[in-house]
Amino acid sequence: SGRDGETLELLDGRMIELSTEDIVVAAGETAIGLAGAMGGANTVVDETTKNIMIEAATFNLYSLRATQMRHGIFSEAITRFTKGQPAELAAPVLAMAVQLMGEWAHAKQMSGVAEDYPVQAQPITLSLSSERVNSVLGTNSSIEEMKQTLQNVEFDAAINADEIHVTVPYWRADIHIAEDIIEEIGRINSYDSISPTLAERDFTAVRPSDFDTLRSNVRSVLVRTGANEVLTYSFIHGNILEKAGLDANNSYRITNSISPDLQYYRQSLTPSLLSMVHQNIKQGYDHFALFEMNKAHPKQYGLTDEQVPVEIDMLALTIARKKSQGSAYYQAKRILEYVVSALGIELEYRVLDDSTDSVIAAPFEVRRSAAVYDKQTGALLGVVGEYKKSVTRGFKLPLYSAGFEVMTQSLHEATATAKINYAPLSRYPGSERDVCFQVNKDVSYGQLLSCVQGVLETIALETAVSPIDIYQAESSDTKNITLRIKLTANDRTLAGDEVAAIIEQVSQAASDTLRATIV
């Protein structure tokens, strides 16, 4: 194997840095080729070459796949080796190479052949019944026909009662199980020779599961908000994890990844969405929202009973606007509330702390985000907010960007206790009042909102509260929070005195509870 820090110049002129995981061909202590991939430049054949040593060898295909991705080599040699080449093929290939060089270059063999087979492969022997072959293929062939078919392509086949025993040729590295033999019989005899017969099945209608119905409903609601659904890879680059503030050690690493850019299982969906924002802005899309419903595989959740990573169903959304003033947090929060209101879920917002899932919360700025809970059960659903400055810089996000990520399964569980209360729209006009509260700088918007909503819940009217403005001067001990309170009655038009009395009741509660004053 190679040595850490050792370099090797390849035939194509590239200089690579070897590691102990690379298999090399060496002359003494000097590496002269990257095994199974490409030879070294120091052994190139040119017009002055007189003596050539030929090597015919096979290598572990999984090791070569890692080498291929590590160094980005896609030569003819490594493409063949990563498909698996039997060691027994080395001897006839070497003999053929010597023969061809003698015929075309008048080369002469000057030495004997040195052989070394550290692992002698045992031939694969499989047994299967003719009934099983016919059942899988839908044919009616005799066992003698099956035997003859396999012998025609150099399989050793013998019949014992109703079973056929097959020994696989050493060069057929693609044959491992009985189903491979069945496929071989069907392929050679032509699938067109199989009489098409409609399989029997139960035509009873299958009802979608409640969870699938929930996801379909959420998808429809998000589309109504103007968001665009995307599907991204479950495998991501380690740089995306780093930019999102996540620890790569908490991700499962793929040892034989299909690309150097897809080496880790993702822990959450938000980093994948953030990686797409800058690309869309470069294409001229100044204002958009992206969402994805998919699975994540954080290592902290462990393995299933089948020893595979636990899959967590997630829903993530991000909004971005190239030129905009104001806080993107409230836009993301508004979309989240629109989604859960369609499910009959009422939310509660709390400060991000140690009880919040660290993986979901990692990209979000603590001071401009909130943990989202189901108000009915107190279960954690996810996180909504704006992103950390380091995340914004890493993904080249606009200043106006925010989003949320929630656990879809938790949403589904919350719907079990949710109640959707339908009421027809009132025929009477509602009344709106904007009220500006001056509070101590330590009082949060959530505290004031809870206080106001607590009063409005005791009033037999349709009510709604939304934020208008939050202002705090530099070095000030107070801040101003402006709320818009909407009141509607189903049986009458509200009089001004009635509305004023309710606003006075709200103001008094805010004063008593939070020492707020009306500005």
Side-chain angles (χ1 to χ4, degrees), residues 409-424:
Q409 188 62 45
S410 297
L411 274 183
H412 180 236
E413 294 170 358
T415 58
T417 56
K419 295 181 180 179
I420 301 178
N421 298 319
Y422 170 78

Side-chain angles (χ1 to χ4, degrees), residues 230-236 266 268-269 271-276 291-295:
V230 298
L231 290 175
T232 58
Y233 284 117
S234 293
F235 302 146
I236 60 175
R266 61 182 170 188
S268 62
L269 305 185
S272 297
L273 291 183
L274 296 183
S275 66
M276 304 183 69
F291 77 92
E292 180 173 8
M293 300 181 69
N294 220 317
K295 298 179 184 294

Side-chain angles (χ1 to χ4, degrees), residues 53-232:
M53 179 179 291
I54 302 176
E55 177 195 40
T58 58
F59 307 95
N60 182 279
L61 66 91
Y62 300 105
S63 176
L64 291 187
R65 283 180 183 174
T67 295
Q68 182 181 43
M69 295 304 165
R70 187 161 45 248
H71 300 297
I73 298 175
F74 297 92
S75 63
E76 175 73 12
I78 203 165
T79 300
R80 291 178 179 273
F81 276 117
T82 52
K83 294 178 181 178
Q85 297 296 331
E88 294 86 348
L89 203 58
V93 166
L94 180 63
M96 179 61 71
V98 171
Q99 178 185 338
L100 292 175
M101 291 180 71
E103 291 178 4
W104 294 95
H106 304 293
K108 295 181 180 180
Q109 182 178 340
M110 302 302 295
S111 72
V113 177
E115 294 185 286
D116 183 14
Y117 288 88
V119 179
Q120 195 72 27
Q122 297 297 319
I124 298 176
T125 300
L126 301 168
S127 298
L128 63 162
S129 65
S130 58
E131 181 183 359
R132 182 180 179 187
V133 175
N134 287 324
S135 174
V136 173
L137 293 177
T139 58
N140 191 26
S141 302
S142 67
I143 195 168
E144 288 290 345
E145 292 173 333
M146 298 175 190
K147 173 186 174 183
Q148 187 61 48
T149 298
L150 293 172
Q151 288 179 339
N152 289 343
V153 287
E154 302 187 59
F155 284 75
D156 288 336
I159 298 175
N160 182 8
D162 191 40
E163 283 198 340
I164 182 169
H165 301 279
V166 183
T167 301
V168 181
Y170 71 83
W171 61 85
R172 292 300 301 272
D174 59 323
I175 306 295
H176 301 282
I177 58 178
E179 283 73 10
D180 295 332
I181 299 293
I182 297 173
E183 180 186 10
E184 191 75 3
I185 294 172
R187 181 181 64 84
I188 295 171
N189 289 336
S190 176
Y191 294 122
D192 292 335
S193 64
I194 300 174
S195 301
T197 304
L198 184 64
E200 294 183 1
R201 56 161 290 183
D202 184 4
F203 285 95
T204 304
V206 178
R207 180 175 179 174
S209 67
D210 292 340
F211 183 67
D212 289 336
T213 301
L214 170 82
R215 292 195 299 176
S216 179
N217 292 339
V218 170
R219 183 177 288 109
S220 299
V221 173
L222 283 170
V223 170
R224 290 203 297 271
T225 68
N228 298 281
E229 184 177 11
V230 298
L231 290 175
T232 58

Side-chain angles (χ1 to χ4, degrees), residues 3-7 17-19:
R3 301 187 180 95
D4 288 329
E6 184 180 6
T7 59
E17 184 174 328
L18 300 173
S19 73

Side-chain angles (χ1 to χ4, degrees), residues 27 73 84 119 216 242 256 263 301 322 388:
I73 298 175
V119 179
S216 179
E242 182 180 351
N256 57 339
Q263 294 186 342
Y301 283 85
K322 188 175 181 180
K388 296 176 181 177

Side-chain angles (χ1 to χ4, degrees), residues 387-426:
Y387 307 111
K388 296 176 181 177
K389 289 185 177 180
S390 60
V391 174
T392 301
R393 288 194 303 268
F395 288 101
K396 298 180 182 179
L397 305 178
L399 293 178
Y400 189 95
S401 57
F404 62 77
E405 183 157 4
V406 296
M407 294 171 283
T408 319
Q409 188 62 45
S410 297
L411 274 183
H412 180 236
E413 294 170 358
T415 58
T417 56
K419 295 181 180 179
I420 301 178
N421 298 319
Y422 170 78
L425 295 175
S426 175

Side-chain angles (χ1 to χ4, degrees), residues 266-454:
R266 61 182 170 188
Q267 303 174 29
S268 62
L269 305 185
T270 294
S272 297
L273 291 183
L274 296 183
S275 66
M276 304 183 69
V277 171
H278 182 64
Q279 301 175 31
N280 281 279
I281 289 179
K282 284 199 305 182
Q283 296 299 320
Y285 298 101
D286 295 338
H287 179 205
F288 55 86
L290 304 176
F291 77 92
E292 180 173 8
M293 300 181 69
N294 220 317
K295 298 179 184 294
H297 307 79
K299 189 183 289 186
Q300 67 189 53
Y301 283 85
L303 303 175
T304 66
D305 295 339
E306 298 177 346
Q307 297 304 301
V308 296
V310 171
E311 296 182 328
I312 309 298
D313 287 280
M314 307 296 294
L315 163 65
L317 176 139
T318 184
I319 58 173
R321 185 177 293 172
K322 188 175 181 180
K323 296 180 180 179
S324 181
Q325 295 180 347
S327 174
Y329 165 80
Y330 293 105
Q331 180 66 19
K333 176 174 175 284
R334 182 181 180 183
I335 295 176
L336 176 59
E337 290 180 339
Y338 180 73
V339 171
V340 299
S341 64
L343 304 176
I345 301 172
E346 190 174 358
L347 300 180
E348 179 182 350
Y349 300 92
R350 303 179 192 174
V351 177
L352 294 180
D353 54 26
D354 294 338
S355 64
T356 310
D357 192 307
S358 59
V359 170
I360 301 177
F364 294 93
E365 172 57 51
V366 174
R367 293 174 297 177
R368 302 183 70 84
S369 302
V372 182
Y373 290 80
D374 175 23
K375 191 172 183 179
Q376 186 75 15
T377 63
L380 174 67
L381 299 180
V383 176
V384 60
E386 299 179 14
Y387 307 111
K388 296 176 181 177
K389 289 185 177 180
S390 60
V391 174
T392 301
R393 288 194 303 268
F395 288 101
K396 298 180 182 179
L397 305 178
L399 293 178
Y400 189 95
S401 57
F404 62 77
E405 183 157 4
V406 296
M407 294 171 283
T408 319
Q409 188 62 45
S410 297
L411 274 183
H412 180 236
E413 294 170 358
T415 58
T417 56
K419 295 181 180 179
I420 301 178
N421 298 319
Y422 170 78
L425 295 175
S426 175
R427 295 179 297 170
Y428 301 91
S431 180
E432 291 183 352
R433 293 290 189 274
D434 291 349
V435 185
C436 182
F437 299 89
Q438 187 174 78
V439 296
N440 186 278
K441 65 178 182 179
D442 296 329
V443 176
S444 68
Y445 164 78
Q447 289 175 297
L448 178 61
L449 181 65
S450 297
C451 177
V452 172
Q453 288 178 333

Side-chain angles (χ1 to χ4, degrees), residues 26-43:
E29 295 296 318
T30 304
I32 60 173
L34 189 60
M38 189 176 293
N42 56 357
T43 59

